[in-house]
Amino acid sequence: MMPENAWFPTPADLSLDPGRIEVWRFSVDESDHVVQGCYQILSDEERRRADRFRIPAKRAEFILGRAVMRRALGVLLHIAPSDLPIEYNPHGKPMLAAAGSLQTVAFNLSHAGRWGLFALTPDRRLGIDIQDIDPRTNCEQLAGRFFSRLESETLLSLPASERRAAFFRCWTRKEAFLKAIGRGIALGLDTFDVSLAPEEAPRLIEARFDRRETTSRWRFCDLNVDEHYAAALAADRPPFSIRHFDWRWPE
C-alpha cells in the first residue's frame, strides 16, 4: 500500500513550526544554467567537494541538493543562502554551526537517481532517505548480510513478489533512522530492527545499541515520491504533522 501523501507548491507564508516537519521533493535533472547558479551559493568547502566529482550527473546532484538545503533554510531563517553557517559532523551529516536558536533547527538531505528530498523541522532529531528500486538488487542476499536477523527472517517469510518492495522499505527506514541519530552505517544495520512487512506500519521495533531509543520515542513515515523509488523519514518526539512540497527553481 502506498503512503498517503501528496506534494504541493511551497506556500508564500512558510514558517518554522515546532509541531511540523517540512519535506521538499526536487529533481536533480536540471539545466546547466540552473546548476551553475546553484554552485555560486555553495560554501568554498562544498564547491571543493563538488569539483571532486568526475561524473557530471553526480556533480549536479550534489550541487542541487546543497542548493535546495541552503535556499530552504535561508527562506525560513531569513538568512542569505550563501551566508548560512553549515558544517558537517564526522559522519557527513550537515548542521548549522551557529550558536543560539539556529542550533534548534534540524534538517536532512538525500538523493538517488533523478530525485532528491530535503526535510526540515525545529527542535527534534530528523533523518530522511530515498533509494531507487533497482530490479537487479539481490534483496535476499543483501538482507542476510546487512539486516538484523528479525528483518531478514521477515523478508524471507514474504511471497517472492513482495520482497523487493519490502527490502527497500526496510533499507530506507534504517538509513533515515541512522541519519536522524547522527550515526553512520558503521554503527551496524543489524544493531536495530524496523518494520518492513506490507501490512505493518512503519516503526522502530528495537534499538539494541541504545535502549533509550524506544519505539514510542520515534515515528517513521514512508514518502510517496515515485513508483520506482522508496523513501522514508524518521523523527523523534512525536506527534508532529508533515507537509510535502515540490521544489521549484526561480525563473
Side-chain angles (χ1 to χ4, degrees):
M1 182 175 65
M2 294 299 290
E4 294 182 359
N5 51 58
W7 302 85
F8 299 98
T10 303
D13 60 344
L14 191 65
S15 61
L16 285 171
D17 184 329
R20 191 172 63 221
I21 295 175
E22 317 288 10
V23 179
W24 282 270
R25 173 178 67 174
F26 61 94
S27 170
V28 296
D29 184 16
E30 296 290 343
S31 68
D32 291 343
H33 173 75
V34 169
V35 173
Q36 186 57 32
C38 290
Y39 181 82
Q40 301 307 315
I41 69 171
L42 303 189
S43 68
D44 290 342
E45 175 57 26
E46 288 167 338
R47 291 182 191 179
R48 284 191 289 270
R49 289 179 65 184
D51 292 341
R52 288 198 287 267
F53 286 95
R54 293 293 174 258
I55 300 175
K58 291 297 182 183
R59 180 177 182 272
E61 185 178 281
F62 177 88
I63 292 170
L64 292 167
R66 266 51 185 185
V68 168
M69 176 177 70
R70 286 184 170 276
R71 288 186 181 276
L73 283 165
V75 168
L76 284 161
L77 299 174
H78 308 290
I79 299 174
S82 58
D83 293 339
L84 284 161
I86 295 173
E87 64 180 12
Y88 295 82
N89 78 0
H91 305 289
K93 183 176 180 178
M95 62 189 69
L96 287 166
S101 61
L102 292 188
Q103 287 187 325
T104 69
V105 180
F107 54 93
N108 203 227
L109 174 71
S110 182
H111 37 73
R114 65 180 295 262
W115 289 111
L117 293 172
F118 177 70
L120 181 153
T121 190
D123 299 321
R124 61 171 38 88
R125 291 179 293 171
L126 170 73
I128 198 165
D129 189 64
I130 182 170
Q131 301 289 333
D132 52 338
I133 302 175
D134 189 340
R136 300 167 297 179
T137 302
N138 189 327
C139 300
E140 294 85 356
Q141 183 182 69
L142 286 175
R145 182 179 177 186
F146 294 109
F147 288 0
S148 70
R149 177 179 293 181
L150 174 63
E151 292 162 345
S152 185
E153 290 176 350
T154 302
L155 183 75
L156 292 176
S157 73
L158 298 175
S161 60
E162 296 181 7
R163 290 178 188 170
R164 188 169 306 281
F167 172 86
F168 282 99
R169 277 196 299 270
C170 185
W171 191 276
T172 53
R173 292 171 190 176
K174 292 177 84 68
E175 287 275 12
F177 180 63
L178 285 174
K179 294 167 79 174
I181 62 175
R183 303 287 293 271
I185 200 170
L187 174 67
L189 290 174
D190 60 347
T191 63
F192 61 98
D193 310 313
V194 299
S195 61
L196 59 91
E199 72 280 0
E200 191 172 6
R203 67 187 182 96
L204 174 69
I205 297 173
E206 182 184 19
R208 288 173 294 282
F209 67 90
D210 189 340
R211 299 295 179 180
R212 294 170 296 179
E213 306 293 5
T214 60
T215 300
S216 62
R217 189 171 184 174
W218 289 89
R219 179 184 168 196
F220 284 53
C221 304
D222 292 336
L223 301 171
N224 182 12
V225 176
D226 181 311
E227 64 178 336
H228 302 295
Y229 291 77
L233 178 148
D236 69 352
R237 297 194 302 104
F240 50 79
S241 62
I242 303 174
R243 297 199 299 182
H244 310 82
F245 302 128
D246 261 324
W247 184 266
R248 291 290 181 268
W249 295 106
E251 296 294 335

